[in-house]
Amino acid sequence: GAVVSQHPSWVICKSGTSVKIECRSLDFQATTMFWYRQFPKQSLMLMATSNEGSKATYEQGVEKDKFLINHASLTLSTLTVTSAHPEDSSFYICSAAPHPRYNEQFFGPGTRLTVL
Amino acid sequence: KQEVTQIPAALSVPEGENLVLNCSFTDSAIYNLQWFRQDPGKGLTSLLLIQSSQREQTSGRLNASLDKSSGRSTLYIAASQPGDSATYLCAVTNFGNEKLTFGTGTRLTIIP
């Protein structure tokens, strides 16, 4: 149980295009989902916290207009990187916290984004 | 602001040895602490979760301890195997906050 999937697992795009990444909780409902970013050989950095049916809460320094997050249902959150640039290339990982165990997170396999 | 540190950053040991990974955190008002494993280019696999009221958790060859007052946790791996090679991350959740604060990670290599 407690499986989280991400799609796509990797994506290559041209500079200036937008990319959408999906995060799904497959066998549980997740009131809260989290989006992380990880640079090579570094730890995970929280980008935003996403609650179903409400606006995401972004961490300091994360541009909310660039990284659009939508949490439309209890099993799906999406991250859209708008007008992507090479510096947005990174490994993006989502996690989901099953209700009501808010303090235990289960992680997706990650999405490798490369912007040319 | 919670800060989590892991020492050493990298560790290489011969197969079969027992080893200990360390994690320290600055704010002891934690709700729980988790140890994760990350293989290159992959997501995180949860290994052990210790609630703040617990002292340790065990799963197979893994044992994690928690000393909240001193802000420390250790992950003990017994009889290491080459398949244990990965990066190990610890992360804490503070009371009143769902967010995980991650440590810097320890890259473990088990030498066959």
Side-chain angles (χ1 to χ4, degrees):
Chain A
V3 178
V4 177
S5 70
Q6 277 184 246
H7 179 79
S9 56
W10 59 271
V11 57
I12 301 173
C13 69
K14 293 183 178 180
S15 186
T17 60
S18 294
V19 175
K20 180 185 284 188
I21 302 170
E22 293 185 349
C23 176
R24 293 182 185 272
S25 56
L26 299 184
D27 51 3
F28 65 96
Q29 293 186 331
T31 308
T32 305
M33 289 185 172
F34 303 84
W35 286 96
Y36 296 84
R37 184 173 182 175
Q38 186 178 33
F39 291 104
K41 298 188 178 181
Q42 295 188 24
S43 193
L44 278 72
M45 287 181 49
L46 180 65
M47 298 175 65
T49 303
S50 165
N51 291 294
E52 186 264 339
S54 63
K55 291 184 179 180
T57 302
Y58 291 81
E59 294 299 297
Q60 191 173 6
V62 177
E63 299 176 58
K64 62 180 181 180
D65 294 331
K66 178 161 189 67
F67 299 101
L68 301 179
I69 292 172
N70 183 276
H71 192 160
S73 76
L74 287 172
T75 59
L76 173 64
S77 176
T78 60
L79 168 68
T80 301
V81 183
T82 62
S83 187
H85 288 93
E87 58 265 30
D88 298 324
S89 299
S90 189
F91 193 55
Y92 293 87
I93 305 177
C94 73
S95 70
H99 175 79
R101 289 149 47 199
Y102 302 111
N103 295 102
E104 184 174 8
Q105 296 180 28
F106 297 92
F107 286 78
T111 297
R112 171 76 56 194
L113 170 63
T114 302
V115 185
L116 302 176
Chain B
K1 178 186 174 184
Q2 178 73 272
E3 291 183 4
V4 182
T5 305
Q6 291 183 246
I7 295 173
L11 179 65
S12 294
V13 299
E15 180 179 0
E17 286 197 1
N18 304 323
L19 60 100
V20 174
L21 306 180
N22 297 294
C23 172
S24 60
F25 45 95
T26 54
D27 184 352
S28 62
I30 65 170
Y31 185 79
N32 62 33
L33 181 146
Q34 283 184 262
W35 281 94
F36 295 90
R37 168 189 173 134
Q38 185 177 31
D39 293 290
K42 305 292 185 182
L44 274 64
T45 300
S46 180
L47 298 174
L48 290 164
L49 169 71
I50 310 178
Q51 302 289 354
S52 63
S53 58
Q54 298 174 320
R55 298 281 297 190
E56 65 177 344
Q57 282 285 343
T58 298
S59 175
R61 294 183 293 109
L62 306 180
N63 176 277
S65 68
L66 174 63
D67 184 344
K68 227 175 51 164
S69 60
S70 67
R72 293 179 184 176
S73 175
T74 61
L75 179 66
Y76 175 83
I77 302 177
S80 59
Q81 303 171 357
D84 295 330
S85 297
T87 295
Y88 290 80
L89 296 160
C90 71
V92 300
T93 305
N94 280 79
F95 276 103
N97 190 339
E98 304 163 312
K99 302 176 188 178
L100 276 172
T101 303
F102 279 89
T104 46
T106 294
R107 190 168 66 254
L108 175 65
T109 302
I110 305 300
I111 305 165

